[in-house]
Amino acid sequence: MSHSGPILAIIVPTFNEVDNVGRLVSELIDVLKDIEWEVIFVDDNSPDGTATKVRRISHSESRVRCVHRIGRRGLSTACIEGMLASSAPYLVVMDCDLQHDPAILNEMFRLLMDDEADVVIGSRYIEGGGCGAWSKRRYRISRAATLIGRWVLSADLKDPMSNFFGMRREVFDEAAAGLSGLSFKILLDILMTVRRPLRLRELPFVLGERQAGNSKFEVVVAWEFMMLLADKTIGSYIPVRLLALMTSGAILAISHLAMFALAHSVLGIGFVAAGALSATLSMTISYAISNVVTYRDRQKHGIRWFAGLAYFMTICSIGAATNVIFAGYLFNRGVDWFLAALVGVLLWLAWNLTAMSSYVWGLGKQFAAQTARPTSGILRGSEPDQKSDPSGEMNAW
């Protein structure tokens, strides 16, 4: 195949990896001696100066490139943007923490170049592979997610959750328009999007120890993983952001009714006072959950967390007041206290679904545009109205 530029592109998403980028580049130079390659670091505006470090390296090593993202976060979307930024016919995704062994890159490239595979996966769960120094808890979580991934794919893969893999350009191009960009499992997203049989190969590698920085593993990634599965199965009918909002709303309703029952029936607090107290507490719980889960890509920290809470409660207090007043009216008309509280909280939820997405986390028309589409994903409808969305953030989720 005739190709004047790099024939292999290595996509490396980064966040706070300033101490690792130089080591990784050195390892790639040592390993990839007979291949025309480039490495594209896609950095989510790391506060430790990762993007600056990459640009400095690129001054002396032209094969090093940087895609510096501002206002966007997420491993999967970073990988997608990195692959879109390259014209190389073969693509590899790997982490920057030096846990992925570059030594298998040559064999990975050979299998793709010789047309023996469409996708080659670095596997921890075949003979010769391993998870290194992982704790038992993290290993069990990974294995559980792997079993789910194998089940939904119905493919003979031992490690469909790997973040270390290579593929032919045409596979990515075929999947690109349908990718969700959710979760951190971009390989699973790609394999679930391509609707034809792919030739898959796995190469064993042992996960190394992180050399610097902090692990990005968090419990909340389990939620993101479930959102990815939801998007790939029912996302064409129910946008996952709306599904997440509905889940958050259900938590708010349950917590409100539980605290209302405790305050009114157990503690004997008056109906209206109990409603106001439980509404305040449940608003705080709902905000905290939404900030961490539903709007993690726009998560607020520090003083902004409290400012967001105050704004959230101000906006949602309109619905809360409607809830308490209407529920109190029904109660005074002889309606059972639980039924009156339930009707009130349903009215409140209808308001909150609008308030949270349109005002507190600043999605506004972007959310409405996404939920109106028959499909969802980072690249579906990938030409947003630049007047209403100059930063392209409409596609961030």
Side-chain angles (χ1 to χ4, degrees):
M1 134 177 266
S2 176
H3 199 276
S4 60
I7 197 169
L8 175 66
I10 300 132
I11 312 303
V12 184
T14 61
F15 185 73
N16 286 343
E17 300 284 1
V18 67
D19 294 324
N20 289 330
V21 291
R23 300 181 192 181
L24 179 57
V25 171
S26 296
E27 291 188 8
L28 293 176
I29 293 173
D30 291 340
V31 170
L32 301 174
K33 295 184 180 298
D34 301 318
I35 302 172
E36 292 295 326
W37 59 274
E38 66 177 348
V39 57
I40 301 176
F41 292 93
V42 186
D43 184 68
D44 286 356
N45 200 29
S46 300
D48 70 348
T50 298
T52 300
K53 179 68 176 289
V54 173
R55 282 191 284 267
R56 286 175 180 168
I57 296 173
S58 70
H59 293 163
S60 58
E61 177 51 74
S62 61
R63 292 174 291 188
V64 176
R65 296 173 55 197
C66 178
V67 174
H68 189 171
R69 305 202 307 172
I70 297 177
R72 301 192 301 286
R73 291 281 296 274
L75 187 147
S76 286
T77 56
C79 293
I80 293 169
E81 291 191 34
M83 288 186 277
L84 289 172
S86 174
S87 61
Y90 303 100
L91 305 165
V92 166
V93 170
M94 66 185 300
D95 289 346
C96 192
D97 54 16
L98 306 180
Q99 291 185 300
H100 293 166
D101 186 4
I104 71 171
L105 287 176
N106 283 296
E107 178 63 10
M108 189 178 285
F109 174 72
R110 186 194 68 77
L111 290 170
L112 296 171
M113 184 73 171
D114 292 347
D115 200 24
E116 295 183 27
D118 298 310
V119 181
V120 182
I121 301 158
S123 177
R124 301 158 293 179
Y125 300 126
I126 61 174
E127 185 176 354
C131 293
W134 269 8
S135 66
K136 290 183 178 180
R137 174 178 173 273
R138 186 167 182 183
Y139 177 79
R140 286 195 295 267
I141 292 173
S142 176
R143 290 298 288 169
T146 298
L147 290 175
I148 295 173
R150 293 181 62 188
W151 177 70
V152 298
L153 283 175
S154 299
D156 186 22
L157 277 181
K158 300 298 183 183
D159 197 359
M161 310 297 286
S162 176
N163 282 334
F164 187 19
F165 63 93
M167 63 183 168
R168 302 174 66 85
R169 178 90 210 184
E170 55 264 30
V171 174
F172 172 72
D173 289 343
E174 184 176 339
L179 292 175
S180 299
L182 298 168
S183 181
F184 64 116
K185 295 303 180 185
I186 180 62
L187 174 62
L188 187 65
D189 196 354
I190 292 171
L191 295 180
M192 292 183 72
T193 301
V194 177
R195 296 301 183 182
R196 63 178 173 89
L198 295 173
R199 296 169 298 164
L200 307 175
R201 292 285 296 271
E202 291 184 274
L203 297 176
F205 84 100
V206 177
L207 203 65
E209 291 188 21
R210 166 173 278 275
Q211 299 300 308
N214 298 313
S215 173
K216 309 304 186 296
F217 180 80
E218 303 173 33
V219 176
V220 76
V221 300
W223 169 264
E224 294 182 340
F225 175 53
M226 298 307 295
M227 287 295 100
L228 170 62
L229 296 181
D231 185 64
K232 305 312 291 186
T233 53
I234 63 173
S236 295
Y237 309 100
I238 304 176
V240 290
R241 179 81 79 176
L242 179 59
L243 184 62
L245 276 171
M246 292 168 64
T247 303
S248 177
I251 293 173
L252 182 146
I254 293 171
S255 61
H256 173 74
L257 292 173
M259 287 183 287
F260 186 92
L262 175 64
H264 181 64
S265 296
V266 178
L267 301 180
I269 299 176
F271 187 91
V272 173
L277 176 62
S278 60
T280 301
L281 294 175
S282 57
M283 277 193 292
T284 304
I285 294 172
S286 179
Y287 171 80
I289 293 174
S290 295
N291 188 60
V292 173
V293 178
T294 310
Y295 296 99
R296 186 168 179 260
D297 56 326
R298 299 164 182 265
Q299 194 171 354
K300 299 179 184 297
H301 300 277
I303 191 66
R304 294 181 66 244
W305 190 95
F306 291 98
L309 174 61
Y311 190 39
F312 175 84
M313 296 186 75
T314 299
I315 296 297
C316 291
S317 64
I318 299 174
T322 302
N323 163 28
V324 174
I325 294 171
F326 191 75
Y329 170 79
L330 293 178
F331 179 73
N332 291 330
R333 299 283 293 182
V335 177
D336 179 76
W337 70 267
F338 183 81
L339 180 59
L342 178 61
V343 172
V345 80
L346 290 176
L347 291 174
W348 186 22
L349 287 179
W351 167 258
N352 281 5
L353 286 175
T354 301
M356 283 192 289
S357 60
S358 298
Y359 301 105
V360 181
W361 282 272
L363 293 177
K365 295 181 180 178
Q366 298 174 16
F367 175 78
Q370 287 287 359
T371 55
R373 293 176 184 162
T375 57
S376 63
I378 185 173
L379 296 175
R380 303 177 199 178
S382 58
E383 297 182 0
D385 180 359
Q386 296 301 316
K387 294 180 180 179
S388 61
D389 185 37
S391 66
E393 262 193 35
M394 182 188 295
N395 293 327
W397 65 275

